[in-house]
Amino acid sequence: MPHEDRGEVPHEEEHISISGYGSTFLLRFSRPFSPEEIKVLVADFIKTVEASLMKRSAKGIGHIKLYIKGRSGYIRADTIGSKYGLYMDGTISELEGSVQMTINTIAIHTTKEDVFIATREGLEDVAKRYGFIVEDLKS
Amino acid sequence: MKVVQIAGFLGSGKTTAIIALSRSLAEKGKKVAIIVNEIGDVPVDAKVVSEYGLKVRDIGGGCICCELLVSLAYTLEELARSYSPDYVLIEPSGVSIPSSVKDGIGLAKGLNVEKGPVIVLFDGERGQEQLSDEDLGKFIKRQIAGADIVTINKIDAIEDGAARSHEGLIRTINPNAKILRISAKNGLGLEELVKLII
């Protein structure tokens, strides 16, 4: 079965309607962000993407995974749905002017288009709220 | 080179488990390599694994149980040539079928490969809810049916009664599998799992 560029790979043998989108971005902050501020931003972003997916009639979150790399370390965050909480850990220890963020959003019973839109719009919303610029590094 | 699958549905804790198992094996003097497969184009899990200083190869943009079966075989061959690991732990995507991944391992040519157990993680928090979904349920049952060992993960987050209920359910799907309770996050039950791998 052909592989789709947008990140959804229809599974050959099963009809479980899983759609995913992943990409890497550079986030340039308007001022240096502390590790705590980055964690708040990450939590807000994941919450925003989940809400957007559920609004678009996704049946549930498969998995939303983030990896953020700064000069002073990394943060890893993931959720299987806000009902189960958000897991976060990492080693970022200093103020960061910019970070690289890699995200994989996987949702259940929704279209790949909706996963793509929910993720990208979530990122734009959070960028406006926290004052940073987003650059695509890989799409 | 012993090859072990750590499979399970999305969010069941495969990456956390594979990191913990790899570190435990390394502490016992074993050389470990990890293959991580993700559905998306970008390898988040592989980046996380590599932060722990572990040897990792990522196969992204598809599922190694079907369209990327040959990529899995090539990656095993490359690891054998370049690194000679004692163990290769494979984290397939959350929508892979373990028995098909086993076929991919068999495609690797000219290697002295020992097929280790197929371990499937069952999500202690969400597993029953997922099993009650018509489509997800059929799929997850198929994953469980292909397991040699089923580990009920996130045991730290559920009551004993829930764990016993999960065990009963798993036994109806796969009466022959060994069932363990673990918490990949805080290490509960992991040493017993490592003993079954070695």
Side-chain angles (χ1 to χ4, degrees):
Chain A
M1 198 167 270
H3 163 52
E4 299 273 314
D5 288 337
R6 279 276 179 94
E8 185 204 31
V9 183
H11 201 274
E12 273 188 12
E13 298 176 39
E14 302 291 337
H15 300 285
I16 53 168
S17 187
I18 302 280
S19 296
Y21 167 69
S23 197
T24 301
F25 306 93
L26 181 67
L27 312 186
R28 288 191 196 280
F29 302 124
S30 53
R31 53 159 181 85
F33 268 40
S34 68
E36 292 67 38
E37 285 175 308
I38 294 172
K39 286 178 182 173
V40 166
L41 177 172
V42 163
D44 194 356
F45 172 48
I46 289 178
K47 201 168 118 184
T48 303
V49 171
E50 181 182 0
S52 179
L53 281 166
M54 300 316 285
K55 215 162 61 171
R56 290 171 193 283
S57 310
K59 196 156 176 190
I61 301 299
H63 207 169
I64 302 177
K65 296 185 267 195
L66 250 109
Y67 169 82
I68 291 201
K69 183 80 176 171
R71 273 178 321 112
S72 66
Y74 76 96
I75 287 172
R76 152 203 187 182
D78 71 287
T79 187
I80 56 172
S82 53
K83 185 169 142 185
Y84 304 98
L86 170 68
Y87 176 79
M88 214 184 300
D89 71 8
T91 61
I92 284 185
S93 55
E94 294 170 12
L95 294 174
E96 299 277 357
S98 64
V99 293
Q100 223 178 73
M101 181 175 81
T102 302
I103 178 161
N104 249 340
T105 305
I106 305 169
I108 296 169
H109 293 312
T110 189
T111 65
K112 61 181 182 180
E113 180 100 25
D114 278 347
V115 179
F116 173 78
I117 292 170
T119 307
R120 297 299 294 240
E121 281 184 354
L123 190 50
E124 283 163 23
D125 286 349
V126 168
K128 280 186 202 135
R129 283 204 286 280
Y130 292 83
F132 60 83
I133 293 168
V134 178
E135 290 175 22
D136 278 57
L137 290 182
K138 180 184 160 83
S139 56
Chain B
M1 184 167 94
K2 194 168 189 180
V3 181
V4 178
Q5 259 192 84
I6 317 292
F9 196 63
L10 301 166
S12 56
K14 297 184 294 294
T15 305
T16 306
I18 220 163
I19 289 169
L21 288 168
S22 300
R23 293 171 94 189
S24 179
L25 286 165
E27 278 163 18
K28 291 169 170 50
K30 307 296 180 189
K31 214 167 163 192
V32 183
I34 297 165
I35 298 175
V36 177
N37 169 227
E38 290 194 72
I39 297 174
D41 284 334
V42 287
V44 174
D45 290 342
K47 288 179 193 289
V48 172
V49 170
S50 67
E51 287 290 350
Y52 289 83
L54 298 166
K55 186 83 167 177
V56 60
R57 294 285 185 271
D58 72 85
I59 304 176
C63 193
I64 56 171
C65 85
C66 43
E67 63 261 90
L68 297 180
L69 210 55
V70 172
S71 296
L72 172 60
Y74 281 152
T75 305
L76 283 167
E77 287 167 11
E78 183 270 320
L79 277 169
R81 262 196 321 269
S82 64
Y83 190 60
S84 301
D86 300 309
Y87 292 87
V88 177
L89 305 187
I90 298 175
E91 179 189 341
S93 81
V95 294
S96 71
I97 304 294
S99 52
S100 300
V101 176
K102 250 171 131 171
D103 293 341
I105 296 167
L107 290 177
K109 301 254 184 297
L111 299 184
N112 184 12
V113 168
E114 182 188 347
K115 284 186 189 170
V118 174
I119 299 165
V120 172
L121 267 61
F122 180 83
D123 189 329
E125 285 185 298
R126 288 194 303 180
Q128 292 229 13
E129 183 188 326
Q130 289 168 340
L131 281 171
S132 65
D133 179 281
E134 193 184 331
D135 294 327
L136 294 187
K138 268 192 243 169
F139 186 83
I140 292 170
K141 281 177 188 169
R142 200 170 158 196
Q143 289 185 322
I144 292 171
D148 299 307
I149 302 169
V150 180
T151 59
I152 300 169
N153 191 24
K154 308 180 189 179
I155 206 74
D156 54 302
I158 62 173
E159 302 287 334
D160 183 67
R164 276 189 273 115
S165 170
H166 295 334
E167 281 167 355
L169 199 52
I170 291 164
R171 282 200 203 293
T172 65
I173 300 165
N174 187 339
N176 299 319
K178 183 154 182 70
I179 302 176
L180 295 181
R181 299 183 188 186
I182 72 166
S183 167
K185 194 167 78 174
N186 63 24
L188 284 172
L190 276 174
E191 274 315 298
E192 197 183 342
L193 186 56
V194 169
K195 282 181 194 154
L196 293 172
I197 289 172
I198 287 181

